[in-house]
mmCIF file of all heavy atoms in Angstrom:
data_model
loop_
_atom_site.group_PDB
_atom_site.id
_atom_site.type_symbol
_atom_site.label_atom_id
_atom_site.label_comp_id
_atom_site.label_asym_id
_atom_site.label_seq_id
_atom_site.Cartn_x
_atom_site.Cartn_y
_atom_site.Cartn_z
ATOM 1 N N ARG A 465 6.121 -130.943 77.041
ATOM 2 C CA ARG A 465 4.763 -131.056 77.574
ATOM 3 C C ARG A 465 4.448 -132.515 77.904
ATOM 4 O O ARG A 465 4.998 -133.420 77.288
ATOM 5 C CB ARG A 465 3.741 -130.579 76.533
ATOM 6 C CG ARG A 465 3.804 -129.103 76.181
ATOM 7 C CD ARG A 465 2.630 -128.791 75.256
ATOM 8 N NE ARG A 465 2.526 -127.371 74.919
ATOM 9 C CZ ARG A 465 3.041 -126.828 73.830
ATOM 10 N NH1 ARG A 465 3.714 -127.585 72.965
ATOM 11 N NH2 ARG A 465 2.885 -125.540 73.583
ATOM 12 N N PRO A 466 3.531 -132.749 78.847
ATOM 13 C CA PRO A 466 3.146 -134.145 79.138
ATOM 14 C C PRO A 466 2.416 -134.799 77.977
ATOM 15 O O PRO A 466 2.278 -136.007 77.940
ATOM 16 C CB PRO A 466 2.238 -134.002 80.373
ATOM 17 C CG PRO A 466 1.746 -132.594 80.323
ATOM 18 C CD PRO A 466 2.869 -131.786 79.748
ATOM 19 N N THR A 467 1.957 -133.967 77.025
ATOM 20 C CA THR A 467 1.245 -134.491 75.855
ATOM 21 C C THR A 467 2.149 -134.585 74.634
ATOM 22 O O THR A 467 1.660 -134.787 73.513
ATOM 23 C CB THR A 467 0.053 -133.572 75.519
ATOM 24 O OG1 THR A 467 0.522 -132.215 75.372
ATOM 25 C CG2 THR A 467 -1.000 -133.612 76.626
ATOM 26 N N ASP A 468 3.452 -134.461 74.821
ATOM 27 C CA ASP A 468 4.413 -134.545 73.714
ATOM 28 C C ASP A 468 4.257 -135.875 72.972
ATOM 29 O O ASP A 468 3.945 -136.910 73.575
ATOM 30 C CB ASP A 468 5.833 -134.415 74.261
ATOM 31 C CG ASP A 468 6.868 -134.186 73.174
ATOM 32 O OD1 ASP A 468 7.160 -135.134 72.431
ATOM 33 O OD2 ASP A 468 7.369 -133.055 73.071
ATOM 34 N N ASP A 469 4.498 -135.858 71.682
ATOM 35 C CA ASP A 469 4.333 -137.052 70.841
ATOM 36 C C ASP A 469 5.221 -138.231 71.257
ATOM 37 O O ASP A 469 4.916 -139.390 70.942
ATOM 38 C CB ASP A 469 4.631 -136.720 69.376
ATOM 39 C CG ASP A 469 3.548 -135.842 68.764
ATOM 40 O OD1 ASP A 469 2.442 -135.783 69.336
ATOM 41 O OD2 ASP A 469 3.818 -135.200 67.735
ATOM 42 N N ILE A 470 6.327 -137.929 71.952
ATOM 43 C CA ILE A 470 7.242 -139.029 72.345
ATOM 44 C C ILE A 470 6.665 -139.881 73.463
ATOM 45 O O ILE A 470 7.129 -140.998 73.691
ATOM 46 C CB ILE A 470 8.643 -138.509 72.755
ATOM 47 C CG1 ILE A 470 8.592 -137.783 74.097
ATOM 48 C CG2 ILE A 470 9.249 -137.636 71.677
ATOM 49 C CD1 ILE A 470 9.947 -137.543 74.709
ATOM 50 N N PHE A 471 5.650 -139.354 74.148
ATOM 51 C CA PHE A 471 5.109 -140.088 75.277
ATOM 52 C C PHE A 471 3.991 -141.044 74.849
ATOM 53 O O PHE A 471 2.789 -140.729 74.920
ATOM 54 C CB PHE A 471 4.625 -139.118 76.374
ATOM 55 C CG PHE A 471 5.732 -138.248 76.908
ATOM 56 C CD1 PHE A 471 5.600 -136.870 76.978
ATOM 57 C CD2 PHE A 471 6.936 -138.811 77.315
ATOM 58 C CE1 PHE A 471 6.631 -136.071 77.453
ATOM 59 C CE2 PHE A 471 7.970 -138.026 77.799
ATOM 60 C CZ PHE A 471 7.815 -136.649 77.855
ATOM 61 N N THR A 472 4.435 -142.210 74.374
ATOM 62 C CA THR A 472 3.517 -143.274 73.951
ATOM 63 C C THR A 472 3.993 -144.587 74.537
ATOM 64 O O THR A 472 5.103 -144.687 75.080
ATOM 65 C CB THR A 472 3.472 -143.383 72.417
ATOM 66 O OG1 THR A 472 4.812 -143.633 71.927
ATOM 67 C CG2 THR A 472 2.939 -142.095 71.794
ATOM 68 N N ASP A 473 3.181 -145.609 74.397
ATOM 69 C CA ASP A 473 3.541 -146.977 74.822
ATOM 70 C C ASP A 473 4.034 -147.028 76.263
ATOM 71 O O ASP A 473 5.050 -147.655 76.585
ATOM 72 C CB ASP A 473 4.624 -147.564 73.900
ATOM 73 C CG ASP A 473 4.171 -147.638 72.456
ATOM 74 O OD1 ASP A 473 2.975 -147.933 72.237
ATOM 75 O OD2 ASP A 473 4.996 -147.389 71.552
ATOM 76 N N GLY A 474 3.317 -146.332 77.144
ATOM 77 C CA GLY A 474 3.644 -146.406 78.568
ATOM 78 C C GLY A 474 4.644 -145.368 79.033
ATOM 79 O O GLY A 474 4.833 -145.193 80.251
ATOM 80 N N LEU A 475 5.314 -144.683 78.109
ATOM 81 C CA LEU A 475 6.253 -143.640 78.496
ATOM 82 C C LEU A 475 5.471 -142.355 78.784
ATOM 83 O O LEU A 475 4.602 -141.967 78.020
ATOM 84 C CB LEU A 475 7.273 -143.383 77.384
ATOM 85 C CG LEU A 475 8.337 -142.304 77.678
ATOM 86 C CD1 LEU A 475 9.230 -142.730 78.823
ATOM 87 C CD2 LEU A 475 9.171 -141.999 76.436
ATOM 88 N N SER A 476 5.790 -141.722 79.908
ATOM 89 C CA SER A 476 5.143 -140.465 80.291
ATOM 90 C C SER A 476 6.216 -139.485 80.733
ATOM 91 O O SER A 476 7.403 -139.857 80.856
ATOM 92 C CB SER A 476 4.164 -140.699 81.440
ATOM 93 O OG SER A 476 4.870 -141.100 82.618
ATOM 94 N N LEU A 477 5.843 -138.255 80.966
ATOM 95 C CA LEU A 477 6.806 -137.268 81.443
ATOM 96 C C LEU A 477 7.364 -137.687 82.811
ATOM 97 O O LEU A 477 8.565 -137.506 83.096
ATOM 98 C CB LEU A 477 6.144 -135.889 81.547
ATOM 99 C CG LEU A 477 7.058 -134.674 81.773
ATOM 100 C CD1 LEU A 477 8.162 -134.609 80.731
ATOM 101 C CD2 LEU A 477 6.227 -133.393 81.740
ATOM 102 N N HIS A 478 6.532 -138.307 83.621
ATOM 103 C CA HIS A 478 6.958 -138.805 84.931
ATOM 104 C C HIS A 478 8.013 -139.901 84.772
ATOM 105 O O HIS A 478 9.086 -139.830 85.398
ATOM 106 C CB HIS A 478 5.749 -139.363 85.695
ATOM 107 C CG HIS A 478 6.083 -140.136 86.917
ATOM 108 N ND1 HIS A 478 6.261 -139.543 88.152
ATOM 109 C CD2 HIS A 478 6.296 -141.475 87.110
ATOM 110 C CE1 HIS A 478 6.571 -140.484 89.042
ATOM 111 N NE2 HIS A 478 6.584 -141.648 88.442
ATOM 112 N N THR A 479 7.746 -140.905 83.940
ATOM 113 C CA THR A 479 8.695 -142.010 83.774
ATOM 114 C C THR A 479 9.945 -141.558 83.027
ATOM 115 O O THR A 479 11.031 -142.090 83.218
ATOM 116 C CB THR A 479 8.047 -143.201 83.035
ATOM 117 O OG1 THR A 479 7.507 -142.748 81.783
ATOM 118 C CG2 THR A 479 6.930 -143.804 83.871
ATOM 119 N N PHE A 480 9.789 -140.567 82.161
ATOM 120 C CA PHE A 480 10.905 -139.974 81.428
ATOM 121 C C PHE A 480 11.943 -139.415 82.409
ATOM 122 O O PHE A 480 13.148 -139.692 82.296
ATOM 123 C CB PHE A 480 10.348 -138.850 80.536
ATOM 124 C CG PHE A 480 11.372 -138.152 79.665
ATOM 125 C CD1 PHE A 480 12.018 -138.813 78.645
ATOM 126 C CD2 PHE A 480 11.610 -136.790 79.856
ATOM 127 C CE1 PHE A 480 12.927 -138.141 77.818
ATOM 128 C CE2 PHE A 480 12.503 -136.117 79.049
ATOM 129 C CZ PHE A 480 13.157 -136.791 78.027
ATOM 130 N N ALA A 481 11.460 -138.654 83.390
ATOM 131 C CA ALA A 481 12.352 -138.082 84.398
ATOM 132 C C ALA A 481 12.866 -139.154 85.357
ATOM 133 O O ALA A 481 14.047 -139.157 85.731
ATOM 134 C CB ALA A 481 11.626 -136.994 85.176
ATOM 135 N N LYS A 482 11.996 -140.059 85.740
ATOM 136 C CA LYS A 482 12.390 -141.107 86.685
ATOM 137 C C LYS A 482 13.505 -141.993 86.103
ATOM 138 O O LYS A 482 14.481 -142.317 86.787
ATOM 139 C CB LYS A 482 11.174 -141.962 87.041
ATOM 140 C CG LYS A 482 11.448 -143.035 88.083
ATOM 141 C CD LYS A 482 10.167 -143.778 88.440
ATOM 142 C CE LYS A 482 10.438 -144.854 89.496
ATOM 143 N NZ LYS A 482 9.195 -145.573 89.861
ATOM 144 N N THR A 483 13.374 -142.356 84.835
ATOM 145 C CA THR A 483 14.390 -143.189 84.183
ATOM 146 C C THR A 483 15.716 -142.456 84.081
ATOM 147 O O THR A 483 16.781 -143.050 84.309
ATOM 148 C CB THR A 483 13.914 -143.588 82.770
ATOM 149 O OG1 THR A 483 12.678 -144.307 82.872
ATOM 150 C CG2 THR A 483 14.945 -144.465 82.072
ATOM 151 N N ALA A 484 15.682 -141.173 83.749
ATOM 152 C CA ALA A 484 16.904 -140.380 83.654
ATOM 153 C C ALA A 484 17.626 -140.312 84.997
ATOM 154 O O ALA A 484 18.873 -140.384 85.058
ATOM 155 C CB ALA A 484 16.593 -138.977 83.158
ATOM 156 N N LEU A 485 16.866 -140.215 86.061
ATOM 157 C CA LEU A 485 17.455 -140.181 87.405
ATOM 158 C C LEU A 485 18.121 -141.522 87.726
ATOM 159 O O LEU A 485 19.242 -141.572 88.235
ATOM 160 C CB LEU A 485 16.381 -139.858 88.447
ATOM 161 C CG LEU A 485 15.920 -138.396 88.532
ATOM 162 C CD1 LEU A 485 14.633 -138.295 89.354
ATOM 163 C CD2 LEU A 485 17.017 -137.516 89.144
ATOM 164 N N LEU A 486 17.403 -142.611 87.443
ATOM 165 C CA LEU A 486 17.932 -143.942 87.757
ATOM 166 C C LEU A 486 19.196 -144.247 86.953
ATOM 167 O O LEU A 486 20.097 -144.936 87.442
ATOM 168 C CB LEU A 486 16.862 -145.004 87.466
ATOM 169 C CG LEU A 486 15.642 -145.006 88.406
ATOM 170 C CD1 LEU A 486 14.576 -145.967 87.904
ATOM 171 C CD2 LEU A 486 16.071 -145.366 89.829
ATOM 172 N N GLN A 487 19.260 -143.757 85.724
ATOM 173 C CA GLN A 487 20.404 -144.045 84.851
ATOM 174 C C GLN A 487 21.478 -142.962 84.902
ATOM 175 O O GLN A 487 22.451 -143.023 84.150
ATOM 176 C CB GLN A 487 19.904 -144.219 83.403
ATOM 177 C CG GLN A 487 18.957 -145.404 83.238
ATOM 178 C CD GLN A 487 18.446 -145.549 81.812
ATOM 179 O OE1 GLN A 487 18.685 -144.688 80.955
ATOM 180 N NE2 GLN A 487 17.739 -146.639 81.548
ATOM 181 N N ASP A 488 21.266 -141.970 85.782
ATOM 182 C CA ASP A 488 22.230 -140.872 85.928
ATOM 183 C C ASP A 488 22.432 -140.127 84.621
ATOM 184 O O ASP A 488 23.548 -139.770 84.254
ATOM 185 C CB ASP A 488 23.561 -141.401 86.456
ATOM 186 C CG ASP A 488 24.419 -140.291 87.081
ATOM 187 O OD1 ASP A 488 23.856 -139.252 87.456
ATOM 188 O OD2 ASP A 488 25.643 -140.476 87.167
ATOM 189 N N HIS A 489 21.322 -139.887 83.911
ATOM 190 C CA HIS A 489 21.357 -139.182 82.627
ATOM 191 C C HIS A 489 20.580 -137.867 82.702
ATOM 192 O O HIS A 489 19.938 -137.453 81.731
ATOM 193 C CB HIS A 489 20.758 -140.052 81.521
ATOM 194 C CG HIS A 489 21.594 -141.227 81.169
ATOM 195 N ND1 HIS A 489 21.134 -142.279 80.398
ATOM 196 C CD2 HIS A 489 22.896 -141.521 81.468
ATOM 197 C CE1 HIS A 489 22.099 -143.173 80.261
ATOM 198 N NE2 HIS A 489 23.164 -142.733 80.895
ATOM 199 N N VAL A 490 20.639 -137.213 83.844
ATOM 200 C CA VAL A 490 19.840 -136.020 84.076
ATOM 201 C C VAL A 490 20.067 -134.944 83.006
ATOM 202 O O VAL A 490 19.116 -134.372 82.466
ATOM 203 C CB VAL A 490 20.132 -135.432 85.474
ATOM 204 C CG1 VAL A 490 19.574 -134.011 85.603
ATOM 205 C CG2 VAL A 490 19.516 -136.327 86.558
ATOM 206 N N MET A 491 21.312 -134.665 82.676
ATOM 207 C CA MET A 491 21.595 -133.572 81.734
ATOM 208 C C MET A 491 21.089 -133.884 80.332
ATOM 209 O O MET A 491 20.890 -132.961 79.527
ATOM 210 C CB MET A 491 23.089 -133.278 81.689
ATOM 211 C CG MET A 491 23.661 -132.762 83.010
ATOM 212 S SD MET A 491 22.802 -131.314 83.668
ATOM 213 C CE MET A 491 23.296 -130.058 82.487
ATOM 214 N N GLU A 492 20.810 -135.142 80.042
ATOM 215 C CA GLU A 492 20.344 -135.517 78.707
ATOM 216 C C GLU A 492 18.864 -135.161 78.482
ATOM 217 O O GLU A 492 18.409 -135.102 77.352
ATOM 218 C CB GLU A 492 20.555 -137.004 78.463
ATOM 219 C CG GLU A 492 22.029 -137.407 78.406
ATOM 220 C CD GLU A 492 22.213 -138.885 78.155
ATOM 221 O OE1 GLU A 492 21.242 -139.552 77.728
ATOM 222 O OE2 GLU A 492 23.324 -139.386 78.422
ATOM 223 N N ILE A 493 18.119 -134.937 79.578
ATOM 224 C CA ILE A 493 16.698 -134.620 79.421
ATOM 225 C C ILE A 493 16.411 -133.141 79.665
ATOM 226 O O ILE A 493 15.269 -132.702 79.563
ATOM 227 C CB ILE A 493 15.811 -135.480 80.355
ATOM 228 C CG1 ILE A 493 16.050 -135.123 81.825
ATOM 229 C CG2 ILE A 493 16.008 -136.950 80.086
ATOM 230 C CD1 ILE A 493 15.006 -135.711 82.764
ATOM 231 N N VAL A 494 17.436 -132.360 79.972
ATOM 232 C CA VAL A 494 17.251 -130.933 80.233
ATOM 233 C C VAL A 494 16.867 -130.210 78.952
ATOM 234 O O VAL A 494 17.350 -130.523 77.854
ATOM 235 C CB VAL A 494 18.542 -130.333 80.824
ATOM 236 C CG1 VAL A 494 18.430 -128.813 80.953
ATOM 237 C CG2 VAL A 494 18.835 -130.947 82.182
ATOM 238 N N ASP A 495 15.989 -129.221 79.073
ATOM 239 C CA ASP A 495 15.558 -128.396 77.951
ATOM 240 C C ASP A 495 16.789 -127.886 77.189
ATOM 241 O O ASP A 495 17.640 -127.208 77.772
ATOM 242 C CB ASP A 495 14.748 -127.203 78.497
ATOM 243 C CG ASP A 495 14.159 -126.329 77.401
ATOM 244 O OD1 ASP A 495 14.541 -126.499 76.221
ATOM 245 O OD2 ASP A 495 13.316 -125.469 77.731
ATOM 246 N N PRO A 496 16.920 -128.204 75.914
ATOM 247 C CA PRO A 496 18.099 -127.772 75.147
ATOM 248 C C PRO A 496 18.239 -126.270 75.031
ATOM 249 O O PRO A 496 19.317 -125.765 74.721
ATOM 250 C CB PRO A 496 17.897 -128.425 73.770
ATOM 251 C CG PRO A 496 16.441 -128.741 73.693
ATOM 252 C CD PRO A 496 16.009 -129.023 75.095
ATOM 253 N N THR A 497 17.144 -125.510 75.300
ATOM 254 C CA THR A 497 17.244 -124.050 75.240
ATOM 255 C C THR A 497 17.752 -123.440 76.537
ATOM 256 O O THR A 497 18.031 -122.244 76.599
ATOM 257 C CB THR A 497 15.892 -123.394 74.895
ATOM 258 O OG1 THR A 497 15.016 -123.501 76.011
ATOM 259 C CG2 THR A 497 15.260 -124.040 73.668
ATOM 260 N N LEU A 498 17.847 -124.269 77.586
ATOM 261 C CA LEU A 498 18.301 -123.755 78.890
ATOM 262 C C LEU A 498 19.766 -123.328 78.795
ATOM 263 O O LEU A 498 20.651 -124.148 78.516
ATOM 264 C CB LEU A 498 18.145 -124.829 79.968
ATOM 265 C CG LEU A 498 18.626 -124.467 81.374
ATOM 266 C CD1 LEU A 498 17.782 -123.352 81.971
ATOM 267 C CD2 LEU A 498 18.580 -125.682 82.292
ATOM 268 N N PRO A 499 20.062 -122.027 79.017
ATOM 269 C CA PRO A 499 21.444 -121.560 78.948
ATOM 270 C C PRO A 499 22.301 -122.242 80.016
ATOM 271 O O PRO A 499 21.951 -122.255 81.204
ATOM 272 C CB PRO A 499 21.327 -120.060 79.239
ATOM 273 C CG PRO A 499 19.903 -119.722 78.969
ATOM 274 C CD PRO A 499 19.130 -120.946 79.334
ATOM 275 N N LEU A 500 23.423 -122.848 79.593
ATOM 276 C CA LEU A 500 24.334 -123.500 80.517
ATOM 277 C C LEU A 500 25.534 -122.592 80.792
ATOM 278 O O LEU A 500 25.746 -121.583 80.135
ATOM 279 C CB LEU A 500 24.800 -124.833 79.955
ATOM 280 C CG LEU A 500 23.676 -125.847 79.691
ATOM 281 C CD1 LEU A 500 24.238 -127.126 79.077
ATOM 282 C CD2 LEU A 500 22.910 -126.163 80.975
ATOM 283 N N HIS A 501 26.331 -122.994 81.746
ATOM 284 C CA HIS A 501 27.451 -122.128 82.154
ATOM 285 C C HIS A 501 28.656 -122.250 81.259
ATOM 286 O O HIS A 501 29.446 -121.327 81.136
ATOM 287 C CB HIS A 501 27.853 -122.444 83.600
ATOM 288 C CG HIS A 501 26.816 -122.023 84.585
ATOM 289 N ND1 HIS A 501 26.650 -120.729 84.987
ATOM 290 C CD2 HIS A 501 25.853 -122.730 85.231
ATOM 291 C CE1 HIS A 501 25.654 -120.635 85.860
ATOM 292 N NE2 HIS A 501 25.160 -121.835 86.013
ATOM 293 N N ILE A 502 28.843 -123.402 80.627
ATOM 294 C CA ILE A 502 30.005 -123.582 79.766
ATOM 295 C C ILE A 502 29.698 -123.028 78.377
ATOM 296 O O ILE A 502 28.694 -123.388 77.771
ATOM 297 C CB ILE A 502 30.402 -125.065 79.670
ATOM 298 C CG1 ILE A 502 30.799 -125.574 81.054
ATOM 299 C CG2 ILE A 502 31.542 -125.252 78.691
ATOM 300 C CD1 ILE A 502 31.141 -127.038 81.071
ATOM 301 N N ARG A 503 30.565 -122.177 77.881
ATOM 302 C CA ARG A 503 30.374 -121.563 76.582
ATOM 303 C C ARG A 503 31.588 -121.854 75.699
ATOM 304 O O ARG A 503 32.715 -121.944 76.204
ATOM 305 C CB ARG A 503 30.196 -120.045 76.728
ATOM 306 C CG ARG A 503 28.957 -119.678 77.539
ATOM 307 C CD ARG A 503 28.965 -118.201 77.880
ATOM 308 N NE ARG A 503 30.106 -117.896 78.754
ATOM 309 C CZ ARG A 503 30.325 -116.674 79.270
ATOM 310 N NH1 ARG A 503 29.521 -115.688 78.972
ATOM 311 N NH2 ARG A 503 31.373 -116.465 80.037
ATOM 312 N N PRO A 504 31.425 -121.963 74.392
ATOM 313 C CA PRO A 504 32.535 -122.283 73.488
ATOM 314 C C PRO A 504 33.666 -121.283 73.576
ATOM 315 O O PRO A 504 34.827 -121.634 73.405
ATOM 316 C CB PRO A 504 31.867 -122.243 72.095
ATOM 317 C CG PRO A 504 30.429 -122.509 72.369
ATOM 318 C CD PRO A 504 30.134 -121.897 73.690
ATOM 319 N N GLU A 505 33.354 -120.006 73.843
ATOM 320 C CA GLU A 505 34.392 -118.991 73.872
ATOM 321 C C GLU A 505 35.238 -118.997 75.153
ATOM 322 O O GLU A 505 36.192 -118.231 75.286
ATOM 323 C CB GLU A 505 33.768 -117.593 73.687
ATOM 324 C CG GLU A 505 32.798 -117.177 74.782
ATOM 325 C CD GLU A 505 31.357 -117.538 74.461
ATOM 326 O OE1 GLU A 505 31.163 -118.525 73.729
ATOM 327 O OE2 GLU A 505 30.446 -116.857 74.945
ATOM 328 N N ASP A 506 34.855 -119.854 76.108
ATOM 329 C CA ASP A 506 35.633 -119.926 77.366
ATOM 330 C C ASP A 506 36.906 -120.733 77.161
ATOM 331 O O ASP A 506 36.973 -121.907 77.512
ATOM 332 C CB ASP A 506 34.779 -120.559 78.482
ATOM 333 C CG ASP A 506 33.705 -119.617 78.976
ATOM 334 O OD1 ASP A 506 33.916 -118.388 78.905
ATOM 335 O OD2 ASP A 506 32.664 -120.104 79.434
ATOM 336 N N ASP A 507 37.938 -120.109 76.612
ATOM 337 C CA ASP A 507 39.177 -120.832 76.365
ATOM 338 C C ASP A 507 40.226 -120.571 77.439
ATOM 339 O O ASP A 507 41.273 -121.205 77.455
ATOM 340 C CB ASP A 507 39.747 -120.486 74.974
ATOM 341 C CG ASP A 507 39.907 -118.973 74.802
ATOM 342 O OD1 ASP A 507 39.591 -118.225 75.760
ATOM 343 O OD2 ASP A 507 40.327 -118.566 73.717
ATOM 344 N N ASN A 508 39.945 -119.628 78.327
ATOM 345 C CA ASN A 508 40.848 -119.401 79.435
ATOM 346 C C ASN A 508 40.731 -120.567 80.428
ATOM 347 O O ASN A 508 39.647 -120.930 80.844
ATOM 348 C CB ASN A 508 40.503 -118.077 80.134
ATOM 349 C CG ASN A 508 41.396 -117.788 81.327
ATOM 350 O OD1 ASN A 508 41.227 -118.396 82.372
ATOM 351 N ND2 ASN A 508 42.323 -116.871 81.145
ATOM 352 N N ASN A 509 41.864 -121.178 80.759
ATOM 353 C CA ASN A 509 41.840 -122.400 81.579
ATOM 354 C C ASN A 509 41.132 -122.208 82.915
ATOM 355 O O ASN A 509 40.325 -123.031 83.342
ATOM 356 C CB ASN A 509 43.262 -122.911 81.825
ATOM 357 C CG ASN A 509 43.866 -123.506 80.573
ATOM 358 O OD1 ASN A 509 43.136 -123.919 79.679
ATOM 359 N ND2 ASN A 509 45.191 -123.524 80.493
ATOM 360 N N ILE A 510 41.445 -121.121 83.595
ATOM 361 C CA ILE A 510 40.866 -120.890 84.920
ATOM 362 C C ILE A 510 39.365 -120.651 84.794
ATOM 363 O O ILE A 510 38.556 -121.215 85.534
ATOM 364 C CB ILE A 510 41.538 -119.681 85.616
ATOM 365 C CG1 ILE A 510 43.014 -119.985 85.873
ATOM 366 C CG2 ILE A 510 40.819 -119.357 86.928
ATOM 367 C CD1 ILE A 510 43.774 -118.824 86.456
ATOM 368 N N ARG A 511 38.991 -119.829 83.813
ATOM 369 C CA ARG A 511 37.590 -119.516 83.606
ATOM 370 C C ARG A 511 36.806 -120.778 83.228
ATOM 371 O O ARG A 511 35.685 -121.014 83.710
ATOM 372 C CB ARG A 511 37.469 -118.489 82.483
ATOM 373 C CG ARG A 511 36.130 -117.810 82.381
ATOM 374 C CD ARG A 511 36.250 -116.688 81.382
ATOM 375 N NE ARG A 511 34.971 -116.109 81.087
ATOM 376 C CZ ARG A 511 34.771 -115.238 80.117
ATOM 377 N NH1 ARG A 511 35.779 -114.873 79.359
ATOM 378 N NH2 ARG A 511 33.573 -114.731 79.912
ATOM 379 N N ALA A 512 37.379 -121.592 82.399
ATOM 380 C CA ALA A 512 36.731 -122.839 81.979
ATOM 381 C C ALA A 512 36.560 -123.778 83.160
ATOM 382 O O ALA A 512 35.554 -124.464 83.275
ATOM 383 C CB ALA A 512 37.541 -123.505 80.871
#
């Protein structure tokens, strides 16, 4: 949320995303609950 406790001292949701883009850290700010395509059980080389 834009009102999250981490957004203090000039940091906002806008600058949070902007900084991640500038530093090429996009995946680090993605919602951790967002299902990704890579799964631990994908041990088949082609599938992985």
Side-chain angles (χ1 to χ4, degrees):
R465 294 186 176 95
T467 54
D468 193 288
D469 290 342
I470 70 167
F471 299 129
T472 58
D473 300 324
L475 180 65
S476 66
L477 192 53
H478 169 87
T479 56
F480 181 66
K482 184 177 180 179
T483 301
L485 285 166
L486 291 172
Q487 297 178 353
D488 200 21
H489 290 167
V490 166
M491 296 306 290
E492 294 180 17
I493 67 168
V494 173
D495 184 349
T497 72
L498 177 66
L500 299 178
H501 291 282
I502 297 177
R503 298 169 296 183
E505 63 268 28
D506 287 332
D507 54 1
N508 179 285
N509 288 337
I510 296 176
R511 195 172 172 189

